[in-house]
Amino acid sequence: MMLLRRAGVLPAMDRVIDSPAAARTGDPTVTTTRRLRLVARPVQTPFYPQVSKAIYTRVNSAVGGSEPVGGALRAARSDITAALEGKAL
Protein backbone atom coordinates (compact mmCIF):
# COMPACT_ATOMS: atom_id res chain seq x y z
CA MET A 1 0.00 0.00 0.00
CA MET A 2 2.89 2.37 0.74
CA LEU A 3 4.20 2.11 -2.83
CA LEU A 4 0.74 2.90 -4.16
CA ARG A 5 0.35 5.96 -1.94
CA ARG A 6 3.84 7.36 -2.35
CA ALA A 7 5.00 6.22 -5.77
CA GLY A 8 1.90 5.28 -7.75
CA VAL A 9 3.00 1.66 -8.09
CA LEU A 10 0.01 -0.62 -8.55
CA PRO A 11 -0.21 -3.53 -6.13
CA ALA A 12 0.00 -7.03 -7.56
CA MET A 13 -2.62 -8.42 -5.19
CA ASP A 14 -6.31 -8.01 -6.08
CA ARG A 15 -7.37 -7.63 -2.45
CA VAL A 16 -5.10 -4.60 -2.11
CA ILE A 17 -6.30 -3.02 -5.36
CA ASP A 18 -9.92 -3.56 -4.29
CA SER A 19 -9.39 -2.26 -0.77
CA PRO A 20 -11.05 0.92 0.51
CA ALA A 21 -7.59 2.30 1.32
CA ALA A 22 -6.57 2.00 -2.33
CA ALA A 23 -9.75 3.75 -3.44
CA ARG A 24 -9.04 6.61 -1.01
CA THR A 25 -5.73 7.38 -2.73
CA GLY A 26 -7.70 9.09 -5.48
CA ASP A 27 -5.41 7.58 -8.10
CA PRO A 28 -7.47 7.05 -11.28
CA THR A 29 -5.36 4.05 -12.25
CA VAL A 30 -6.69 2.22 -9.20
CA THR A 31 -10.26 2.57 -10.39
CA THR A 32 -9.46 1.47 -13.94
CA THR A 33 -7.04 -1.34 -13.09
CA ARG A 34 -9.75 -3.95 -12.66
CA ARG A 35 -10.98 -3.28 -16.20
CA LEU A 36 -7.56 -3.85 -17.74
CA ARG A 37 -6.54 -7.14 -19.29
CA LEU A 38 -3.00 -7.65 -18.10
CA VAL A 39 -0.68 -9.84 -20.12
CA ALA A 40 2.73 -11.25 -19.40
CA ARG A 41 5.71 -9.39 -20.75
CA PRO A 42 6.40 -10.83 -24.21
CA VAL A 43 9.92 -12.08 -23.61
CA GLN A 44 11.10 -13.72 -26.81
CA THR A 45 14.82 -13.49 -26.14
CA PRO A 46 17.14 -14.61 -23.38
CA PHE A 47 18.76 -11.20 -23.78
CA TYR A 48 15.67 -9.26 -22.70
CA PRO A 49 17.48 -7.24 -19.98
CA GLN A 50 20.13 -6.09 -22.44
CA VAL A 51 17.57 -5.20 -25.12
CA SER A 52 15.49 -3.34 -22.56
CA LYS A 53 18.55 -1.42 -21.36
CA ALA A 54 19.43 -0.46 -24.94
CA ILE A 55 15.95 0.95 -25.45
CA TYR A 56 15.48 2.82 -22.18
CA THR A 57 18.99 4.25 -22.14
CA ARG A 58 18.71 5.73 -25.61
CA VAL A 59 15.10 6.87 -25.26
CA ASN A 60 15.93 8.61 -21.98
CA SER A 61 18.86 10.41 -23.58
CA ALA A 62 16.66 11.59 -26.47
CA VAL A 63 13.81 12.68 -24.20
CA GLY A 64 16.26 14.40 -21.87
CA GLY A 65 17.81 16.29 -24.77
CA SER A 66 21.35 14.98 -24.34
CA GLU A 67 21.20 13.17 -27.69
CA PRO A 68 19.33 14.02 -30.90
CA VAL A 69 16.40 11.70 -31.62
CA GLY A 70 17.89 10.37 -34.86
CA GLY A 71 21.21 9.63 -33.20
CA ALA A 72 19.50 7.97 -30.26
CA LEU A 73 17.49 5.73 -32.58
CA ARG A 74 20.58 4.73 -34.56
CA ALA A 75 22.47 4.02 -31.35
CA ALA A 76 19.53 2.04 -29.96
CA ARG A 77 19.43 -0.09 -33.11
CA SER A 78 23.15 -0.78 -32.78
CA ASP A 79 22.84 -1.56 -29.07
CA ILE A 80 19.86 -3.88 -29.66
CA THR A 81 21.74 -5.73 -32.39
CA ALA A 82 24.71 -6.17 -30.08
CA ALA A 83 22.43 -7.39 -27.28
CA LEU A 84 20.74 -9.94 -29.53
CA GLU A 85 24.17 -11.21 -30.55
CA GLY A 86 24.91 -11.82 -26.87
CA LYS A 87 27.36 -8.97 -26.53
CA ALA A 88 26.93 -7.20 -23.19
CA LEU A 89 26.12 -3.50 -23.20
Side-chain angles (χ1 to χ4, degrees):
M1 186 55 74
M2 182 182 352
L3 287 175
L4 174 62
R5 282 194 308 261
R6 295 189 181 175
V9 176
L10 290 174
M13 296 171 35
D14 290 340
R15 66 184 169 98
V16 177
I17 292 172
D18 296 335
S19 72
R24 283 193 301 272
T25 65
D27 188 331
T29 56
V30 172
T31 58
T32 59
T33 298
R34 301 301 281 147
R35 295 190 309 246
L36 298 176
R37 184 177 146 280
L38 301 177
V39 296
R41 181 182 301 157
V43 178
Q44 300 296 320
T45 175
F47 305 110
Y48 181 87
Q50 293 87 348
V51 170
S52 179
K53 180 179 179 183
I55 294 169
Y56 74 72
T57 300
R58 299 305 181 163
V59 168
N60 284 341
S61 65
V63 170
S66 63
E67 190 171 3
V69 173
L73 290 175
R74 285 187 293 279
R77 179 182 294 146
S78 176
D79 290 349
I80 291 167
T81 300
L84 292 173
E85 292 172 352
K87 299 173 185 170
L89 295 180

